[in-house]
Structures are given as structure tokens and as C-alpha cells.
Amino acid sequence: MKQLNQTIKNFFKSGITYLLFSLLFSPTIIFSQETDNKPTQTIRGVIKDAASGETIPFASIALADTPQKGAMSDNDGSFDIKNVPVGRHTVKVSYLGYEPAIIKEIMVSSSKEVYLEITLKESVQSLDEIVVRPRINKEQPLNKMVATGARMFSVEEASRYAGGIDDPARLATAFAGVSSDGTSNGISIHGNAPHLLSWRMEGVEIPNPNHFADISILGGGILSSLSAHVLGNSDFLTGAFPAEYSNAVSGVFDVKLRNGNNQNYEHTAQIGTLGFDFASEGPISRKNGSSYLINYRYSATGFADKIGLLDMDGQKIYYQDLNMKFNFPTRKAGTFSVWGTGLIDKLLTENSDSTEWECKIDENYSSSKQYMGAGGIGHSYLFRGGGLLKTTLAGTYFKEHAYLDYYDDNMNHDIPYLDMNRNFSNLIADVSHNRKFSSRFTNKTGLNYTRMFYNMDMTLSDHIGGELQPVYDGDGSTGLLTAYTSNALSINNYITLNFGLNGQWLALNDSWTIEPRAGVKWQPTMRSTFAAAYGMHSRMEKIDVYFVKVNDQFVNKDLDFTKAHHFMLSYALKISDNVNLKIEPFYQYLYDIPVEADGSYSVLNRRDFYIDKALVNEGKGRNYGIDLTLERYLNRGWYYMFTGSFFNSRYCGGDGVWHDTRYNRKFILNALGGKEWMIGNKKQNVLSANLKLTLQGGDRYSPVDVDATMTHPDNEVQYDDSHAFSKQDDPMFIANYTISYKVNKKKVSHEFAIKHINATNTKGLQGHIYNYRKGQIEAYRYTLTLPNISYKFEF
């Protein structure tokens, strides 16, 4: 861990140097004279029924700030509004018999058309019985069967919000109840471990989509491999989710990929500290409406190191990623799509300068290579009589080879300490049918089967120079079957019920669950909404856990699912058209948790990428607290969001004692805000400044067992697990900022930005080490301050 952190620190220092050198040679055309007329662009899109997915013809679309600009959807529900001035706009949509919709914070630039997919909810009662309530897009998740505990996040927010740096996981830390340690993008929700979060793309579960995944923390990484250039608006759920979501306990990232522009070609080139990006989209056939969208990124310092421009003192960190989607609508056979995401990571740390060694873990040479991919073929078909059938055939792949050797007396790294090979492949078949039976009732039923193939082995020594012993070893396949039915029933325009069932069966050990889900939402007035939701959830362990070996015997093959009951309440108050207050109490009870018999170890605290213990399903846990959010939508050039979460996260291990969990920070406070200025002769350019301040409880840790540490052959720090996580470090204050300047010209735009993560250089507690130079045990703290300086050219 210590070597990885130093490598990453050197990487970003070198990246900044290389970027500043590169920008000296940027084209001077960026600063050429402004055009005479303010640039304009087109807003296009489609209007659909929120429940059925059917398109809505003849809907009225208008710009709230420019009433003379508007359109009406055609027979296919499509619309376009031409010659829209660059800048922020709000779109209003209305149609007889449906609740109006308001889409806020739409950024129009000169270089790319804006495409919107807008859904309208049908009114249950006749117009003379109701008061029409417009639905604001930011108030509702995309999944209409969610009662509470969810937030729609947009790509534009991930780019604009300080601390986001185009990373969905880092963006989520601005939301109530979500935290990270500042050194990775592994996120804890309400005290749950990051690995209990589920990542989904296009409706199927995918491996951890982060660079250097699971190395510093299980369930997280350093950077997201998901590019903001290809992501569409998506949902982030924090509990009590509807029946269609399975194999998740703490939360779900339900990621969508947008379709490429099917009328015009658009491209993006970007250079920054984090790498080189190139994105392209456009029509494959304008006549048929088919399109492509693709983005590729390569690490800037990896490229510079290969051509000899940078020297990172024997340490190397390379990464690259690819994201894409191809969309093929047809007239009679439905719509086909092909999508994919993938990454390649290579990490090498070599500490050959013995004069800087302070502890045993400095004296090593390590290497890790990771490969991840996920892709699929999707098909959706809308029946004439009603009903939307979606089918996906997908595959995922993850491979890693890592080893760690220690130096001998002759400075050769000939003492093996760890050797790991992991190869996981999944074949996935997913089918769902969504049917709107009436304006009151909608049902979605689905089935998913995942065939999991695995080939893995890991050996580890218990001390330097010791014999390598097997940790896990497995080669074969198994299956996970999931079925669900989810329903939405509108009693009237004020009350909506959601209810359903989810079932899972794991063939490996014949474990199964039946999980009820339910929610209700009540809107008694124009400005207030109450909601409540319940869900039983479960998650299988990482596949390597089932093949842990102790005394050459598989000891975990019979582990059951980790299970949880989750209750959430919500009260939302619309203080004004642009200011909302939300209060969300929650309670989560976890049971059948894998723990070490007669010990304090629990997977609820898991951070490392491996487990070497025999476990039993006898643990428990509970998380309870309250989330608060006060948000002002971006209007008249400024916005803010204040969030607070106060909670308690406890667990009971095999010792029968209740302890604080590793992630029990007790409180998380965020203040987020920003301002935009339209400047230039024609007010066509955008200067944006954004700030995020976080104050959260410190990292938790167990007391150090000094005697056991001093008698260990390597002086590896040992902890008093009978008082697990009873200590807490000082609170952490973290500041992030984003400053950008966008120049809009005719059909092109240039953007300069600096997006700085952890500008305060706050250090997180990573553990303890024995410093043999000083002869004492010390807390090991690490900071990752990540300034991404970038230039982007869109054309």
C-alpha cells in the first residue's frame, strides 16, 4: 500500500509537468477574435410515456427563458428546436392528460447538439379534478418505481461539481450519507463497506469499473474508467431499492450509456493530467437513425514515460480505457444496440534505494496488471398493443496478475511474498417485460441468469522469507439466477404505491432468497411530498471467498448470502421553484453476515482484496441515522447544495460483541456551490467556479498490540481485535474546487479547466508501521491530492 501511494503521488506530479509543457504548444487559434454573432445550437430529443416507454406525438416543448423558441413533437415523439443561444436553458413540456415536465440546467454549447429524452407521467384523474403539478427532472430518479433513497445524477453535474472530475463515484460523495477516505473513489453509504455496492451498466451487473480496482480498497479504485463523454443520465440508489435490483446491500449505481448523435458528426479531443481523450459520435445511417459513440483514453504519463520524456524513478503506472455504444433502430423489429467498456492497468513499484527505507514493507518490488471488460448486445421491442420487451446478452471479464517480492542482501528481489492470479468471466442473459396496463397500474417482470467462470489462485507468506501458503484456489463455473416482479399503482395523482418481489438462487451451494420490496409516495400539497420504503436485500460474496483454503481444505463453500432489511422515510419540501429541502431517516438491519467464529472479523469491515479466514454466517449489523439535503438548482448563474448525514454503524462478530464498524464516521457534512458567468462580446463564453467543502468523522482503527508487534518476525503491526475499531482518528476536512473557462465559437468550443481533488492535502489514516530507524510504531497517513489540469476541444 505504501509503495502504491508513493507511485501515484509521483505519477500526478509528473503528469502536471508534462501537461504544462504540452499546453505551451496549443494552437493559438483558441484566442482568435470572436465571431460577430452569438453562436447558437440545436436542442433535439424525444418525448415518451414514463411508464410504458411509448413515444408521445404532438407534445408541446418550449424554452422557459425564451418563450418564442419552441416545438411540437412529431408522430414519432421527436422534436428539435433550432438556433438556441449558447448558455443555460430550462425546457418545459406539456401534453393533454399528462403532468407537465420541467427540465432544468440544460447547458447549450456551440460545438454539440443537445439531445433530451423526456418522460411524462399520465394523470390518473381528469383535469377538472386535479391541480396540475409540474415534474422537475432533478427531483425524480429515472426509475419511476423508486419511492425514496435515490438520486438522478447527470454527466453535466459530474463535470461541473467540485470533487467530481467526471467520476460518478466521486460525484456521489456530494450526496447525503456517502463518504470516501479521500485517497480512492471507494464509497461508503451509511457506514456500509464499499464492496457492498453494485455497479450496473445497461441493466446488467459489471465488475468494478475503476482503474487499479480493489488494490487500495475493495470496491474502489483511483480513477473511474467510465468516460463522461459517453455516459447518460443515471440513477444512484442508497437503499430500499425496487425489486428489479438484486445482489446489492448498500447501494446501486445504475449507469446508462447515451446514444450518439444520429444526424451530425461530433468529436472531442482532450489532454489533461489524467490522460489523452478522444471521443467521436455520429450517424451510421441518417435514414435509419443509427449512430455510434466511442471514447478512448490513455494515461498522459504512461505515454510520456514510453517516449522517454519522464522518469518516475523506476516506478511505472499506465492505464487506458475504452467506452462505446452503437445504436440501430429499425421500423418493425425494434431497436438493437451494442455497447462495451474496458480498461487495462499496469502498476510497477521498485524501491531500490535502501537509504530511504524506514520499515520492512519498503524493501520490496511489486507488480500488478489488470484487465477488465464488459459488453453486450441489447434489443428492445415495443408491442403495438402495449408492452416493452428488453433482452440483453452480455459478457464481463476481469483478469489480474500481481506479485510482491522482497530484496535479499544482494539487492535482488528474490524473496517471494505474494503471488496472485485471478481470472473471472461472466456470461449474462437478461430479459424484462414492462407493461402499462392503465394510467394507474404498471408492471415490470424480469429474469436474469449469470454463468460465472473462474480460474484463480493466490499464495502468501506469513512473514518475509517464509514459505508461500495457499490462500485460495478455484477453477470451474457456477450460476446465479435472479427473477423479479415490480409494480407501480397510482391510487390517485397524489398517492403512488410500489411493491414487488425479488428472488435469487446461487448454484454453487444451493443458497436462495425471496425478498419483498414496497414503497409509498404521497404528495398532499404542491410543495410537500412524503415517502416510505422497505426492502429486503442480499448479496453473494466475491467468488474468491468461497474458495479460501485453510489447512488445505475449502472452508467457505457453504456461505449463504449477506442479507439486510432496509427502511427509509422521506420528507421533501419545495421552498421555492429552485430550492428544495429533503429529510430522510433510515434504518438498516443486516444479518447472516460472514464472520470469523469466536472472533471480531466481519466482511462488513472488509477493505483488503483477499480473505484468508474461515467464515460462518453468524454476524449481524445495524446502520441508522438521518440524511439532510438543502439544494438550490442552478438558476441565474449560481447554485448550492448542503448535505448532512448523522448516523451510527455497528456490527456484531463471531465473538458476540457489538463493535463500531470500520466505516462508522458518525457524521458527514458537505457544502457545495458554484457560480457561472456568461462573458465575451456576445455573452457566449462561460466562466465557471465551483467549490466543495467536506467535514467528516475520522477513520476508525483498532488499538495496536505492541507486544505482538515487537515479537512478529517482520515487526508487522498487530492489532487488538477484541476492541475492534474502538479508536477514531481526528475529523477530516477536505476541500475540492473546479474552475473552467469555455470559449464558444461557431461549431467549435475550447475549454480550459482545473479540477482539484483534496486541495487541502488532507491525510487519511491507512494503518500503522514499525519504523526501525526510529525504533517505534507510527501511524501511517497518506494523502492523494489530484489536480487535473486539462484542455478540451470540441468540434
Side-chain angles (χ1 to χ4, degrees):
M1 168 65 78
K2 187 177 181 182
Q3 289 72 33
L4 169 65
N5 294 340
Q6 186 60 46
T7 301
I8 294 169
K9 190 179 297 184
N10 291 340
F11 160 68
F12 287 113
K13 287 180 179 178
S14 302
I16 294 171
T17 302
Y18 177 69
L19 177 63
L20 293 176
F21 173 82
S22 302
L23 288 180
L24 291 176
F25 299 94
S26 298
T28 56
I29 191 173
I30 299 170
F31 303 102
S32 61
Q33 188 175 1
E34 305 291 351
T35 57
D36 293 334
N37 298 317
K38 185 174 184 178
T40 61
Q41 191 51 270
T42 298
I43 297 179
R44 299 193 300 115
V46 64
I47 311 299
K48 293 184 176 181
D49 184 289
S52 69
E54 297 179 357
T55 58
I56 299 177
F58 312 120
S60 175
I61 304 100
L63 298 184
D65 51 339
T66 315
Q68 67 272 21
K69 293 285 186 182
M72 181 174 289
S73 60
D74 60 19
N75 290 329
D76 296 324
S78 300
F79 71 92
D80 65 81
I81 306 174
K82 300 183 181 299
N83 300 318
V84 179
V86 298
R88 295 281 177 184
H89 296 279
T90 295
V91 172
K92 293 185 176 181
V93 183
S94 59
Y95 184 68
L96 185 63
Y98 283 75
E99 297 177 6
I102 298 176
I103 316 301
K104 289 181 172 289
E105 300 183 1
I106 299 172
M107 171 56 80
V108 176
S109 69
S110 60
S111 54
K112 288 194 173 185
E113 293 183 342
V114 175
Y115 188 86
L116 303 174
E117 185 171 307
I118 302 172
T119 59
L120 299 181
K121 180 183 178 183
E122 186 175 3
S123 298
V124 175
Q125 297 164 275
S126 60
L127 292 178
D128 57 355
E129 297 180 78
I130 63 171
V131 177
V132 178
R133 293 177 168 86
R135 296 167 60 86
I136 297 176
N137 63 311
K138 290 179 65 66
E139 297 174 0
Q140 305 289 335
L142 299 179
N143 191 317
K144 304 307 177 186
M145 294 194 181
V146 174
T148 186
R151 163 92 186 207
M152 185 273 285
F153 68 91
S154 70
V155 177
E156 193 274 334
E157 287 177 336
S159 177
R160 168 166 49 97
Y161 282 7
I165 61 167
D166 305 322
D167 185 331
R170 293 187 186 274
L171 168 67
T173 60
F175 304 150
V178 184
S179 68
S180 75
D181 63 2
T183 63
S184 75
N185 64 3
I187 58 173
S188 170
I189 303 173
H190 298 149
N192 284 293
H195 72 91
L196 298 176
L197 174 76
S198 174
W199 285 91
R200 289 162 56 102
M201 177 175 285
E202 296 295 296
V204 298
E205 187 170 10
I206 63 172
N208 183 347
N210 291 300
H211 288 291
F212 310 104
D214 302 337
I215 295 179
S216 60
I217 187 169
L218 188 70
I222 304 302
L223 304 166
S224 174
S225 66
L226 303 178
S227 169
H229 299 306
V230 300
L231 291 181
N233 292 342
S234 305
D235 279 343
F236 176 61
L237 299 93
T238 58
F241 11 94
E244 69 179 89
Y245 297 105
S246 60
N247 204 33
V249 171
S250 71
V252 177
F253 260 114
D254 192 2
V255 176
K256 310 294 184 185
L257 300 178
R258 67 181 181 88
N259 296 326
N261 193 321
N262 60 12
Q263 296 299 315
N264 297 294
Y265 294 100
E266 298 173 341
H267 315 285
T268 300
Q270 179 171 293
I271 177 175
T273 310
L274 301 184
F276 304 101
D277 284 75
F278 182 77
S280 180
E281 62 181 290
I284 297 175
S285 169
R286 288 188 175 90
K287 180 180 178 180
N288 297 326
S290 57
S291 64
Y292 75 90
L293 173 63
I294 189 166
N295 181 90
Y296 174 75
R297 176 173 61 174
Y298 191 87
S299 59
T301 51
F303 175 78
D305 181 71
K306 284 191 172 184
I307 64 175
L309 187 60
L310 293 177
D311 182 6
M312 294 178 63
D313 192 26
Q315 304 182 26
K316 301 180 185 296
I317 179 168
Y318 302 150
Y319 61 87
Q320 52 187 311
D321 52 59
L322 176 70
N323 297 274
M324 63 181 183
K325 185 176 183 182
F326 299 85
N327 193 56
F328 303 95
T330 67
R331 290 190 176 183
K332 295 183 178 181
T335 299
F336 295 85
S337 64
V338 179
W339 56 271
T341 182
L343 64 82
I344 299 176
D345 296 333
K346 296 182 180 180
L347 174 68
L348 174 67
T349 62
E350 182 176 7
N351 299 287
S352 57
D353 186 359
S354 61
T355 62
E356 296 183 0
W357 293 348
E358 294 182 341
C359 56
K360 289 288 186 181
I361 63 172
D362 284 332
E363 306 171 13
N364 67 57
Y365 177 98
S366 63
S367 173
S368 173
K369 296 180 181 179
Q370 291 186 349
Y371 306 85
M372 188 281 285
I377 300 173
H379 175 250
S380 60
Y381 183 80
L382 193 60
F383 293 95
R384 288 188 176 181
L388 178 64
L389 179 68
K390 287 188 175 182
T391 305
T392 301
L393 298 176
T396 69
Y397 176 76
F398 178 83
K399 179 180 180 180
E400 180 179 19
H401 176 223
Y403 64 87
L404 188 152
D405 296 344
Y406 279 86
Y407 292 98
D408 60 17
D409 294 336
N410 297 318
M411 294 303 296
N412 297 315
H413 49 89
D414 290 339
I415 306 175
Y417 183 77
L418 177 152
D419 187 50
M420 178 177 65
N421 289 279
R422 299 190 292 172
N423 196 328
F424 306 120
S425 300
N426 292 344
L427 293 179
I428 305 166
D430 184 272
V431 60
S432 67
H433 181 260
N434 187 86
R435 177 68 187 272
K436 178 183 175 181
F437 289 92
S438 69
S439 62
R440 294 181 182 271
F441 182 68
T442 301
N443 171 268
K444 184 176 182 180
T445 299
L447 186 70
N448 178 290
Y449 181 72
T450 300
R451 192 68 192 176
M452 297 174 282
F453 301 88
Y454 48 86
N455 184 348
M456 57 190 171
D457 64 85
M458 176 179 170
T459 55
L460 178 70
S461 175
D462 61 359
H463 66 278
I464 298 173
E467 183 179 354
L468 293 178
Q469 299 292 331
V471 176
Y472 56 73
D473 182 14
D475 185 7
S477 67
T478 188
L480 179 66
L481 179 66
T482 302
Y484 68 88
T485 183
S486 187
N487 306 278
L489 176 64
S490 296
I491 305 300
N492 50 42
N493 273 1
Y494 315 111
I495 302 176
T496 301
L497 301 178
N498 302 308
F499 54 94
L501 283 175
N502 182 290
Q504 290 195 106
W505 172 68
L506 178 61
L508 180 68
N509 54 22
D510 204 30
S511 298
W512 59 275
T513 65
I514 299 293
E515 305 166 10
R517 316 281 176 87
V520 59
K521 183 180 289 187
W522 174 43
Q523 187 177 5
T525 71
M526 289 282 287
R527 296 192 175 275
S528 60
T529 303
F530 295 88
Y534 160 76
M536 176 181 171
H537 309 295
S538 65
R539 184 166 176 82
M540 64 175 287
E541 295 305 309
K542 303 290 185 182
I543 198 70
D544 61 276
V545 176
Y546 298 98
F547 293 91
V548 169
K549 279 188 171 182
V550 176
N551 297 324
D552 207 33
Q553 298 291 322
F554 294 114
V555 293
N556 293 333
K557 270 200 168 182
D558 294 328
L559 283 179
D560 201 352
F561 293 97
T562 290
K563 303 183 183 73
H565 295 291
H566 207 151
F567 303 86
M568 297 192 77
L569 300 174
S570 176
Y571 171 66
L573 175 65
K574 182 182 290 188
I575 298 174
S576 69
D577 289 343
N578 295 299
V579 180
N580 269 15
L581 172 67
K582 182 174 285 189
I583 303 172
E584 293 183 307
F586 61 88
Y587 178 81
Q588 183 183 28
Y589 175 73
L590 302 105
Y591 61 103
D592 286 352
I593 309 301
V595 297
E596 186 177 21
D598 301 321
S600 63
Y601 179 85
S602 170
V603 298
L604 296 182
N605 304 307
R606 187 179 175 188
R607 182 173 65 181
D608 295 333
F609 57 84
Y610 70 92
I611 285 179
D612 58 0
K613 303 176 184 296
L615 304 176
V616 293
N617 289 104
E618 295 179 359
K620 295 177 286 185
R622 56 176 179 247
N623 306 313
Y624 57 90
I626 188 168
D627 293 336
L628 308 170
T629 302
L630 177 64
E631 181 176 13
R632 183 189 193 273
Y633 305 142
L634 200 157
N635 185 52
R636 299 184 182 275
W638 64 285
Y639 71 96
Y640 62 75
M641 181 166 65
F642 299 100
T643 66
S645 186
F646 303 90
F647 62 96
N648 197 20
S649 178
R650 305 269 291 173
Y651 80 99
C652 181
D655 57 2
V657 178
W658 283 91
H659 307 271
D660 290 299
T661 67
R662 179 193 296 273
Y663 304 98
N664 189 17
R665 295 186 181 276
K666 298 287 189 178
F667 71 92
I668 309 164
L669 302 174
N670 290 301
L672 177 77
K675 172 66 176 170
E676 289 182 348
W677 296 268
M678 299 299 297
I679 60 179
N681 294 335
K682 301 294 182 179
K683 303 296 183 184
Q684 76 277 31
N685 302 329
V686 185
L687 175 63
S688 177
N690 306 271
L691 180 68
K692 177 193 171 190
L693 303 176
T694 298
L695 179 65
Q696 62 185 25
D699 300 297
R700 302 200 74 92
Y701 61 98
S702 303
V704 173
D705 188 331
V706 177
D707 292 338
T709 300
M710 299 309 295
T711 58
H712 189 277
D714 305 325
N715 297 129
E716 180 181 325
V717 174
Q718 306 295 301
Y719 294 94
D720 178 8
D721 292 330
S722 65
H723 296 86
F725 307 108
S726 59
K727 301 287 187 178
Q728 186 171 19
D729 204 22
D730 294 334
M732 302 175 67
F733 175 74
I734 304 172
N736 308 277
Y737 68 86
T738 295
I739 300 173
S740 65
Y741 179 59
K742 189 164 192 173
V743 180
N744 285 298
K745 297 180 178 297
K746 187 176 182 180
K747 303 299 183 182
V748 301
S749 66
H750 309 268
E751 183 178 83
F752 298 89
I754 177 169
K755 301 176 180 181
H756 199 163
I757 298 295
N758 192 12
T760 46
N761 204 32
T762 302
K763 295 183 177 181
L765 180 66
Q766 301 296 303
H768 296 78
I769 59 173
Y770 176 75
N771 188 321
Y772 62 70
R773 290 188 183 276
K774 298 179 181 179
Q776 63 185 32
I777 299 172
E778 298 178 338
Y780 171 52
R781 303 179 187 279
Y782 170 68
T783 180
L784 175 63
T785 178
L786 199 166
N788 183 30
I789 306 170
S790 64
Y791 162 65
K792 181 166 61 177
F793 177 48
E794 296 180 323
F795 57 102

